[in-house]
Amino acid sequence: MSATAEDRYADFYARQLSSPTLAGIYQEVYGEDHPEELRPFGFVTRTDLARFAELLDLRPGTFLVDLGCGRGGPGIALARAAGAGLLGLDPLAVAVEGARELSVSLGFPEARFAVGGFTATGLEPGSCDAVLSVDALWMVWNKRAAFAEVARVLRPGGRFVFSTWEPSYVDHAGLLAAAGFTVTAREEAQRWLERQLLVYELVRARATALEGELGPGASVLLEEARDTPAALPSTPRVIVAATKTG
Ligand SMILES: C[S@@+](CC[C@H](N)C(=O)[O-])C[C@H]1O[C@@H](n2cnc3c(N)ncnc32)[C@H](O)[C@@H]1O
């Protein structure tokens, strides 16, 4: 994907933590299911995180890579709870810096974060026990190359768990099989549609406050809230788990 597409969230990350309006929207829509302390950027819930933990089945001393980690919260929570090591990669330096700060404030300073992405991990073949990606894969244009890279860095039997949106023209299961994975789960995230639509409704209703707090970082949110709802019912937010064969 182009640098421009990957850069679109840089302004948002720079101001994300200065927006009580945005935090309030997620709180209002998701209530206790919103993991505010992890500062997620996307739609991950505590319910999703519990499901990721089951599907990843991390053990102490294993090594998790979080691709498209953003501010890093989901990977930090899962690796820390399991006693696993963590590397988070994101193309945006501002997100990586935010992830470093968050890992320290959450008491997990040994987590590592670096600039990178789905097709640029810089990792050795077979060097990871598990790969996670939360709400990031939809941004990756070349999914075939992305899955090939995940297969390359995972050890045989290693697990790849992700959430993303799945339009009818994207066959994640077929692409995973072609890359050498066995798909073990594919399910819609719980109550994703009604809650995502409500977030967009509140973002549109509170546009002025968001623009005041997020500055130029508000524009990607407002565009998404305006342009996405029509197609959303036919673009399910899915949780997928796959095991590297062989
Ligand atoms: C919606 S955010 C999700 C962030 C984080 N996983 C979370 O749940 O808080 C999507 C992230 O994907 C990243 N991204 C965009 N293109 C990517 C690529 N090619 N490889 C990895 N990450 C990418 C963006 O920079 C952004 O941080």
Side-chain angles (χ1 to χ4, degrees), residues 9 12-13 16 22 26 30 34-35 39-45 48 74 134-136 138 165 196 199-200 221 224 237:
Y9 290 142
F12 171 82
Y13 279 120
Q16 177 189 8
L22 187 63
Y26 279 93
Y30 292 88
H34 175 58
R39 308 294 194 194
F41 176 32
F43 296 89
V44 74
T45 63
D48 296 342
V134 182
D135 295 356
W138 64 278
W165 289 266
Q196 193 171 336
V199 167
Y200 289 149
L221 288 185
E224 196 175 307
R237 182 168 176 273

Side-chain angles (χ1 to χ4, degrees), residues 158-197:
R159 297 185 182 198
F160 177 27
V161 175
F162 60 86
S163 61
T164 192
W165 289 266
E166 191 172 70
S168 58
Y169 55 84
V170 175
D171 175 15
H172 288 115
L175 289 165
L176 285 164
F181 287 96
T182 302
V183 176
T184 55
R186 183 208 164 277
E187 61 210 31
E188 288 197 26
Q190 280 190 19
R191 296 181 53 212
W192 71 275
L193 179 60
E194 74 207 61
R195 296 193 287 185
Q196 193 171 336
L197 285 173

Side-chain angles (χ1 to χ4, degrees), residues 80-127:
R80 190 182 52 178
L86 174 67
L87 171 67
L89 296 176
D90 198 281
L92 293 177
V94 63
V96 168
E97 193 47 45
R100 288 196 185 109
E101 287 167 12
L102 186 65
S103 68
V104 171
S105 70
L106 290 175
F108 193 48
E110 57 273 41
R112 289 186 296 129
F113 297 93
V115 171
F118 263 99
T119 50
T121 66
L123 291 163
E124 295 295 320
S127 58

Side-chain angles (χ1 to χ4, degrees), residues 1-10 92 139 220:
M1 73 188 300
S2 75
T4 308
E6 287 182 345
D7 280 355
R8 62 201 289 249
Y9 290 142
L92 293 177
M139 297 183 70
V220 283

